[in-house]
Amino acid sequence: MLTLWHCEDARSFRPLWALEELGLDFELKMLPFPPRASRKDYFAENPLGTIPLLVDGDTRMTESCAMLHYLSLRHGQGRFAVPTEHGEFGAYLNWLHHGEATLTFPQTIYLRYSRMEPEDRRLPQAAEDYRLWFLARLKLLEPLLSDGRDTLLQTGFTMADIAVHYAIELAVLLGLRDDLPPETLRWFDGLTSRPAYQRAKSRQRAGAKAENLPPMPF
């Protein structure tokens, strides 16, 4: 069985949502955030101490956006991916990686230096710089959505939507919703109504409650 190691509303929500979209059987293992600080035994599973960790037999993956494509091709008969011969294949891959490399990264710096570090180590100016960096990186997303589309690609909902959606969700969790442009918010709010998204949220809540995990520092 597939196993996903997950912290509530962390990057690992991407593969959790994808697993629900594909209707796959899997075991969900909930951890406190960040696991490298509070669950030293987890290093035996993932030497990086990061989440997510997806285990599929001998395959062990640590990159959330790579997991989306893997799950689609290995276990989902290509559902929610774009085939190589399709005209939007390049756009699909670009958005799939854009969600993490371009949009999520600056927010992790903002989170660290505005909330995660001890008070005497916080860097308000660095946090503000990375907040603005993230918002500036929305300059590709907002114009794309200005035609009223509900998904990033004309072909419909794909794993790229999950990849980018989490980056926007993290911004909302960090209290940046009022900074987000209108079309991005319209697209974001629309996808939260998907049944698989709601199932993923419900499953992580139940898992966090069962493990009596502390709330996330958002």
Side-chain angles (χ1 to χ4, degrees):
M1 180 181 289
L2 292 158
T3 300
L4 177 65
W5 299 77
H6 171 53
C7 293
E8 187 175 6
D9 286 331
R11 285 179 173 97
S12 43
F13 187 76
R14 287 179 175 129
L16 176 57
W17 182 1
L19 286 160
E20 292 290 350
E21 288 283 356
L22 293 168
L24 300 175
D25 292 329
F26 64 99
E27 181 181 8
L28 184 65
K29 291 182 176 288
M30 297 293 299
L31 294 168
F33 182 84
R36 62 183 176 274
S38 52
R39 281 285 303 272
K40 300 298 184 182
D41 59 312
Y42 179 58
F43 283 102
E45 296 290 341
N46 177 9
L48 295 175
T50 58
I51 47 90
L53 172 66
L54 179 70
V55 180
D56 181 19
D58 293 333
T59 299
R60 303 176 77 84
M61 302 182 70
T62 60
E63 295 297 327
S64 63
C65 291
M67 292 173 192
L68 305 180
H69 197 51
Y70 174 86
L71 289 169
S72 172
L73 297 188
R74 181 60 65 88
H75 294 284
Q77 295 78 48
R79 284 181 293 155
F80 309 121
V82 173
T84 56
E85 65 274 12
H86 193 281
E88 290 188 297
F89 176 66
Y92 164 74
L93 285 182
N94 198 66
W95 283 114
L96 191 67
H97 294 283
H98 186 84
E100 177 65 19
T102 299
L103 296 181
T104 304
F105 166 72
Q107 296 189 80
T108 62
I109 305 299
Y110 173 79
L111 172 61
R112 175 175 180 176
Y113 288 110
S114 66
R115 306 184 188 192
M116 293 293 294
E117 289 286 347
E119 193 73 37
D120 63 338
R121 286 181 50 82
R122 293 181 185 178
L123 300 173
Q125 186 59 61
E128 176 64 9
D129 289 347
Y130 277 92
R131 183 186 73 86
L132 295 175
W133 182 4
F134 161 70
L135 294 172
R137 293 300 175 93
L138 296 175
K139 64 178 61 175
L140 292 183
L141 184 60
E142 183 69 5
L144 178 80
L145 299 169
S146 63
D147 62 0
R149 67 176 67 185
D150 297 323
T151 57
L152 296 179
L153 303 180
Q154 298 288 359
T155 191
F157 178 83
T158 69
M159 294 297 182
D161 287 288
I162 293 179
V164 176
H165 191 275
Y166 175 73
I168 305 305
E169 178 150 330
L170 180 57
V172 172
L173 291 168
L174 291 173
L176 305 181
R177 183 180 175 93
D178 289 345
D179 295 326
L180 299 173
E183 294 302 316
T184 295
L185 277 175
R186 177 191 56 76
W187 164 81
F188 169 81
D189 289 338
L191 291 185
T192 62
S193 66
R194 291 183 68 86
Y197 174 92
Q198 296 295 332
R199 289 196 301 271
K201 284 289 185 178
S202 178
R203 187 155 180 175
Q204 73 170 7
R205 282 194 300 269
K209 183 177 180 180
E211 295 292 332
N212 195 29
L213 298 179
M216 292 290 280
F218 297 146

